Every structure is written in structure tokens, then in C-alpha cells.
Amino acid sequence: MAENTTLTVAVLSGKGGVGKSNLALNISFALSRKGAKVLLMDCDLGLANLDVLLGLTPTGNIQDILDSNLKAETVLVRVDQGLDLLPASSGVVESFNDQHLMPALLAEKLDKLVGRYDYVIMDVGAGISPTVLNFAAMAMMRVLVVTPEPTSLTDSYALVKVLATRQGIRDHLVVVNQAESAKQEEMTYKRLAAACSHFLNITPVHLGGVHNDSNLSEAVRVQRPMLLEYPNSRATKDFYALGDKISKLRQNMLPRIAGLSPLHLPGSSAKN
Ligand SMILES: Nc1ncnc2c1ncn2[C@@H]1O[C@H](COP(=O)(O)OP(=O)(O)O)[C@@H](O)[C@H]1O
Ligand SMILES: [Mg+2]
């Protein structure tokens, strides 16, 4: 079997509305604009957003792949040079009841497809539902998005705790979104890290931050990615910086991920 070079990254948050989808979208653009092959996967089943943020109307989605014999390639949408979107559906209650079978089915159906990309960026829904926990466990890397709001901090802590107890996951990269200053970003990270370290003996790594930037709301309004609509804006620079950091991490991880499947099966013995 060829050596794996795909890095799968799950973008997570305890609380909704903290900026996950915009982060997943703009990091994907940042990586693809630097020459990488990227698959952006909408894993917020039932409440998909990425198609809306891009002003697209996809004809098929990830649920169709799970529910039928449809090939994954047929629902892919080319978004940019080197960047494809695997959409999810919105307003459809999750039909997949057998949650413990979902990861294996998804891995089987997507294995070949994801292997063609350098990165698979998974925009996972908020909260601690079985679907969220499964997607989080299937990725090789987890990016936890947190804002300075106390509720975001407590919900992030809850997610870290549940991922540790239910899936044995103890590695997290933290992105602080919407901080007003470097000091506030650092404080936010430290509060979360202190709680995780004290109560769970887990130390999440501070990956970086995205400034609060009013242009981002405007980009959402016009359904264009921030990175293209406001190429010189503050948050755009932050997205590029985060992309660079993830790219360096991938380079360092290549020997370690060579023998792994891009989509890990939760509960299997291979360690990511
Ligand atoms: N860095 C930021 N600066 C300003 N507003 C932001 C920022 N990040 C997110 N937002 C606002 O938060 C809203 C929700 O973001 P979204 O990415 O959809 O969150 P999630 O996917 O976590 O639910 C956006 O529509 C935007 O208005
Ligand atoms: Mg979202």
C-alpha cells in the first residue's frame, strides 16, 4: 500500500457560532492558495453551512453518500484551484441511526477520495453529540475553536473532557477566535489550558488566533470567503498564519502518518 500523506484535521467547538465554519473555510483557502490539495468536508450534518458561506447550491451531499451507492466524487464541488468541497445537507434530521457503524461506513466510502488530498479539513458541528465525537476521533489532528466568552470556555472544556473519557483523545490545538488583543487571546488560551490541565491532566497546545474583524461578518453577508473578499484584512493574515503553522506540523508529521489511514476508526488499536 502507498504511504499515506493526507493530514485529516477536525475543526471543533463546544459552543456553536464561535467561528468554526469560517475558520475551516479560510484555512482551506490559505492552504490551497499555497499549492496544497485540500478537501473541505462539511461534517455539520443537518446544519450545513459551508455551501452558504460560498454562495453555492450543491446537488448532492455527504448524507447521500452514506445512505446510497452514490460515489463520493459525484457530489464534490470544485471551489478553487486545488480546493474541493464535500457538502452536507441542511434541514434534514440525521438519518443514520446506527452511530457506532457510521465511522466505518464513512471511512470505507471516503478512503480512496481523501487519499488524493494533502489536507482534509473537517468542519464538525458544535457540541458533544455522537456524530461530533466520531468525526473528532476519525481525524489525525483536532483544532478546538474558542472565543473569550465564558460560555465558550466552559463548553470547550466539556468537549475536551468528553473526548478524553469517551474516545481517549488527549491532543488538541487551540485557536482563539475573536479576541480583541494578543493579551486577551493569551488569557483565553490560558484559562482553558489551566482547567484542562488541573482537572483532566491534559495540556492543549496554543496554535494561534484570529482577530475580531468586522470584515468577516461582511464576507459572510456577501457569501464570499474572507480570504478572497478582504485579502489584506487582519483576520485574513491570521488565516494565512494558521495555514502556515498547520503546513509545518504536517511536514513534521509525515513520517508518523505514513502508515496510518487518513480516517481513523474510533476504538481501533492504531494510535493517531
Ligand atoms: N474573527 C471574527 N471576527 C468577527 N466576526 C466573526 C469572527 N469569527 C466569526 N465571526 C462571526 O461569527 C459568525 C459565526 O461564525 P461561524 O463560522 O458560522 O461559526 P460556527 O461554525 O462555529 O457556528 C460569523 O457569521 C461572523 O459574523
Ligand atoms: Mg458552522
Side-chain angles (χ1 to χ4, degrees):
M1 208 179 86
E3 289 194 340
N4 172 60
T5 55
T6 308
L7 177 69
T8 42
V9 182
V11 180
L12 305 163
S13 76
K15 188 175 169 314
V18 297
K20 276 184 313 298
S21 296
N22 280 285
L23 183 85
L25 175 70
N26 285 289
I27 283 184
S28 296
F29 268 90
L31 290 166
S32 65
R33 293 257 153 169
K34 293 274 175 90
K37 282 180 281 174
V38 183
L39 176 64
L40 175 58
M41 217 169 125
D42 201 329
C43 300
D44 197 348
L45 305 187
L47 291 171
N49 272 171
L50 292 172
D51 52 338
V52 182
L53 291 177
L54 287 162
L56 299 169
T57 317
T59 50
N61 56 60
I62 193 169
Q63 284 98 322
D64 297 330
I65 301 170
L66 281 172
D67 295 342
S68 72
N69 286 328
L70 213 61
K71 281 235 172 350
E73 286 81 352
T74 58
V75 304
L76 280 189
V77 183
R78 174 49 54 119
V79 175
D80 199 21
Q81 172 84 27
L83 174 59
D84 293 330
L85 169 71
L86 183 54
S89 72
S90 203
V92 177
V93 177
E94 243 171 80
S95 60
F96 207 77
N97 293 323
D98 235 340
Q99 274 301 328
H100 69 283
L101 293 177
M102 188 275 257
L105 187 65
L106 199 74
E108 180 197 315
K109 300 219 172 193
L110 297 184
D111 203 44
K112 275 212 184 72
L113 176 77
V114 299
R116 293 187 210 139
Y117 297 91
D118 301 314
Y119 300 89
V120 176
I121 309 292
M122 301 158 72
D123 178 23
V124 182
I128 52 174
S129 71
T131 307
V132 167
L133 302 183
N134 277 332
F135 279 127
M138 291 182 84
M140 293 165 174
M141 182 187 276
R142 279 147 289 274
V143 171
L144 183 59
V145 184
V146 56
T147 70
E149 284 188 350
T151 43
S152 169
L153 279 166
T154 51
D155 290 358
S156 299
Y157 170 78
L159 177 60
V160 172
K161 182 178 170 181
V162 173
L163 279 170
T165 52
R166 296 289 290 272
Q167 305 277 11
I169 290 168
R170 305 179 65 80
D171 58 318
H172 299 275
L173 299 172
V174 174
V175 169
V176 179
N177 190 25
Q178 287 182 268
E180 298 288 351
S181 64
K183 193 172 165 208
Q184 192 184 35
E185 179 187 325
E186 187 64 24
M187 282 295 295
T188 302
Y189 163 72
K190 279 192 170 153
R191 279 204 189 110
L192 176 63
C196 292
S197 164
H198 185 73
F199 296 109
L200 307 170
N201 197 24
I202 287 175
T203 309
V205 171
H206 187 182
L207 186 68
V210 181
H211 284 89
N212 193 20
D213 186 335
S214 56
N215 284 340
L216 201 146
S217 320
E218 190 48 30
V220 171
R221 206 185 58 76
V222 299
Q223 296 180 276
R224 289 257 301 159
M226 171 81 182
L227 198 118
L228 301 187
E229 192 67 8
Y230 296 100
N232 299 312
S233 206
R234 229 176 159 188
T236 298
K237 290 182 182 147
D238 296 332
F239 290 131
Y240 273 115
L242 287 168
D244 286 346
K245 285 183 185 170
I246 292 174
S247 165
K248 286 204 182 80
L249 287 170
R250 176 174 173 272
Q251 278 305 319
N252 292 336
M253 286 170 79
L254 280 174
R256 193 153 65 82
I257 67 176
L260 300 177
S261 300
L263 291 171
H264 176 75
L265 289 187
S268 69
S269 58
K271 283 270 179 289
N272 271 342

